[in-house]
Amino acid sequence: MDQHQIDTLRALPVPAFAHLIDGKHVAASDGATMDVISPIDGQVLTTTAKGTARDMEAAIASARAAFEDGRWAGQPPAARKKVLMKWADLIEANALELAVLGVQDNGTEISMALKAEPGSAAATIRYYAEALDKIYGEIAPTASDILGLIHKEPVGVVGAIIPWNFPLMIGAWKLGPALAMGNSVVLKPSETASLSLMRMAELALEAGLPPGVLNAVTGEGRVVGETLGLSMDVDVLAFTGSGATGRRLMEYAARSNMKRVYLELGGKSPNIIFADAPNLDEAATVAASGIFRNAGQVCVAGSRLLVEAAIHDDFVAAVAKAAEAMRVGDPLQMNTQIGAVNSDIQLQANLGFVETAKAEGGQIITGGERILQDTGGFYMAPTIVTGVTPDATLTQKEVFGPVLGVTSFATEEEAVHLANGTVYGLAGGVWTSNLSRAHRMVRGVRTGVMHVNTYGGADGTVPLGGVGQSGNGADKSLHAIEKYINLKTAWIKL
Ligand code: NAD
């Protein structure tokens, strides 16, 4: 990719987006639209349909009809595989267009978006396409006069609700396994990052996915998301987003048909640095990128740095140096390392956390303020706060922005205790040359993923899911398929 191609794409006008229902582009039932504000410059980029409850009900009805008549679930596995493989090819063929469109409304730096968005989405769709004809039912070890068969059936209609930080990647984590197993899906992208995901959904139709199997509705979470959550015709909710919304989805399920609810929520992930780390310079650089890339808007971001007291000051200085060297700015420049915060609301929330941290006795080592205000965009300097106590707001609450809190520890036991001292359990990291200690830390810290002598990064072969209030179930890997199937027993007397 060169900068010229990106500049050419960004100069094109961005079309208005409608819903995708029953294979057709459909405006909101009352004609309403929402402005899409680009975080790059704060300007209106385009509009999307502002969905109504009626729109969402139409999408659910379309998905239900598609599921019941077997137009997708009833196709031979090889046929479904072919469509999904074609879809992955189309995503790849349109990768730059998708990445630029996504960056224009969500603000992720393009270098990261190119890797984490279309590239990863295509790989995910392909992974589940390849898997779908290798998933067998089972024969139970019953008595000889019985045949016990265990069928793996699609669940029915899946509601997929997606956040704004990596819409294509996270969208594909739900769509890949759900569609591969024969379900129909109703997709609800984020209000502030829907464009690339809506375009990716269109490509599924181009690839030959039958109309109604994948419907996508834009609009406000409290309107269309709530309708999806409360529907009696949706069997599974697959959600990534905040804990507050996750709680609501559980309530919706309880108030309606007790649908299954899978939650991939936030984190407050500890990155733990021991003095015996194999390479402290590398640890410092990775600690900085592990919190500051995508302006901290990464669910597994290492937002709590726990540093052994003996190296605290030198190590913090090295992380600050690495942070200050990162280029913040226009996310559509290939050399930008930290793009825009997704919205003004999120930027103000981030700045609020900095003020609270100061009031609670934290010291700002670097950053702490909005920058590049003359662009009209939403940019924040990477921020490091030291002296963060175990009960401080910066320890206990997810910021989801470029703010790193630092706490020092004296012993391995204390490090584990601090690491486990929040309601979250999504990710963590440990840096040490001591193999036994590394394994003890992996066992001792309660998270869905632990990184050892690295931070962040993982491919589709391993699950990602949180414990505690970071969620349940897992995206990625063959394990994710379990969310989108029912087990049915056939008990046959011979
Ligand atoms: P959010 O909860 O505000 O929104 C997520 C989605 O839920 C959006 O599509 C939104 O429209 C919808 N929504 C909002 N209110 C709703 C309601 N009442 N009913 C139904 N749907 C509703 O989250 P966000 O701010 O977009 O995303 C940031 C959060 O996502 C952070 O907490 C982050 O840690 C988390 N996240 C987690 C993972 C993971 O894999 N665990 C990955 C990425 C992001």
Side-chain angles (χ1 to χ4, degrees):
M1 309 300 164
D2 67 24
Q3 189 63 46
H4 178 68
Q5 288 172 291
I6 294 167
D7 292 344
T8 306
L9 280 168
R10 84 185 296 179
L12 299 174
V14 179
F17 277 74
H19 306 312
L20 206 58
I21 300 177
D22 221 23
K24 294 184 271 301
H25 292 107
V26 183
S29 59
D30 60 4
T33 59
M34 293 193 299
D35 285 344
V36 176
I37 309 289
S38 176
I40 298 175
D41 56 9
Q43 299 297 308
V44 176
L45 184 65
T46 183
T47 62
T48 59
K50 187 175 182 184
T52 61
R54 244 175 86 191
D55 300 334
M56 182 50 87
E57 280 156 10
I60 296 167
S62 165
R64 175 53 63 188
F67 182 71
E68 297 300 335
D69 70 16
R71 75 186 77 161
W72 178 243
Q75 287 191 27
R80 281 190 270 131
K81 179 181 195 164
K82 199 168 165 194
V83 171
L84 294 180
M85 291 298 252
K86 174 93 188 288
W87 187 22
D89 290 346
L90 285 176
I91 293 168
E92 244 166 30
N94 291 276
L96 191 58
E97 179 215 320
L98 285 165
V100 170
L101 193 58
V103 170
Q104 283 176 296
D105 77 344
N106 91 335
T108 303
E109 54 277 3
I110 187 78
S111 55
M112 180 174 237
L114 278 167
K115 260 201 297 188
E117 284 282 272
S120 151
T124 298
I125 302 295
R126 205 168 273 136
Y127 178 90
Y128 291 105
E130 284 168 348
L132 71 85
D133 55 2
K134 297 165 193 72
I135 309 282
Y136 290 80
E138 295 165 18
I139 301 177
T142 57
S144 59
D145 62 337
I146 293 291
L147 178 60
L149 300 179
I150 303 167
H151 296 275
K152 294 182 176 172
E153 299 187 328
V155 178
V157 175
V158 173
I161 305 180
I162 310 299
W164 42 261
N165 57 337
F166 293 104
L168 299 185
M169 178 175 79
I170 295 171
W173 289 349
K174 322 283 187 206
L175 295 172
L179 292 171
M181 299 321 291
N183 299 281
S184 295
V185 180
V186 179
L187 182 64
K188 154 69 183 89
S190 162
E191 291 85 330
T192 57
S194 56
L195 305 184
S196 56
L197 196 48
M198 294 304 283
R199 179 75 190 115
M200 189 168 94
E202 286 176 357
L203 293 176
L205 291 177
E206 277 181 40
L209 195 71
V213 175
L214 173 57
N215 302 280
V217 176
T218 49
E220 293 177 348
R222 289 305 288 266
V223 179
V224 289
E226 182 168 301
T227 306
L228 187 62
L230 284 170
S231 172
M232 298 297 286
D233 244 341
V234 171
D235 302 290
V236 167
L237 284 177
F239 173 73
T240 298
S242 64
T245 306
R247 256 176 224 285
R248 288 209 181 91
L249 298 184
M250 292 181 115
E251 282 175 28
Y252 297 156
R255 281 164 53 199
S256 55
N257 61 348
M258 298 194 275
K259 56 182 71 66
R260 273 150 54 180
V261 181
Y262 295 110
L263 304 174
E264 304 293 333
L265 307 174
K268 197 73 218 187
S269 299
N271 189 10
I272 305 162
I273 319 294
F274 285 95
D276 67 359
N279 182 337
L280 283 168
D281 289 336
E282 186 194 352
T285 310
V286 175
S289 62
I291 172 67
F292 297 130
R293 291 302 302 269
N294 199 15
Q297 301 159 122
V298 177
C299 56
V300 296
S303 55
R304 285 192 293 149
L305 190 63
L306 306 183
V307 189
E308 192 166 350
I311 56 164
H312 177 276
D313 292 357
D314 287 348
F315 191 77
V316 170
V319 179
K321 194 171 159 212
E324 285 160 6
M326 292 176 83
R327 282 180 299 274
V328 187
D330 181 352
L332 283 171
Q333 292 297 323
M334 277 297 274
N335 63 0
T336 291
Q337 290 167 296
I338 302 177
V341 174
N342 178 250
S343 65
D344 193 31
I345 292 175
Q346 184 65 35
L347 175 62
Q348 299 312 325
N350 295 347
L351 296 170
F353 274 104
V354 173
E355 290 314 308
T356 305
K358 282 193 225 165
E360 292 179 354
Q363 293 93 51
I364 309 294
I365 298 298
T366 186
E369 74 276 307
R370 179 177 188 172
I371 54 172
L372 305 172
Q373 199 156 352
D374 55 327
T375 63
F378 314 131
Y379 300 94
M380 182 167 171
T383 300
I384 300 177
V385 186
T386 55
V388 178
T389 58
D391 57 352
T393 306
L394 209 49
T395 298
Q396 296 299 331
K397 298 263 185 258
E398 183 186 41
V399 177
F400 214 55
V403 182
L404 178 65
V406 187
T407 307
S408 77
F409 65 85
T411 64
E412 189 180 311
E413 291 70 28
E414 192 189 0
V416 172
H417 182 71
L418 289 170
N420 288 335
T422 75
V423 298
Y424 297 107
L426 189 57
V430 56
W431 297 75
T432 177
S433 300
N434 180 328
L435 186 64
S436 300
R437 167 180 277 164
H439 284 291
R440 282 195 301 271
M441 295 300 288
V442 168
R443 288 188 185 176
V445 180
R446 287 191 303 271
T447 58
V449 55
M450 278 298 280
H451 305 90
V452 178
N453 294 333
T454 183
Y455 197 92
D459 66 16
T461 61
V462 287
L464 172 66
V467 299
Q469 292 186 31
S470 289
N472 62 63
D475 281 328
K476 305 197 299 166
S477 82
L478 294 180
H479 291 286
I481 287 175
E482 293 153 22
K483 300 195 290 191
Y484 304 105
I485 54 171
N486 285 331
L487 298 181
K488 180 192 272 176
T489 296
W491 186 259
I492 302 167
K493 179 96 174 73
L494 301 178

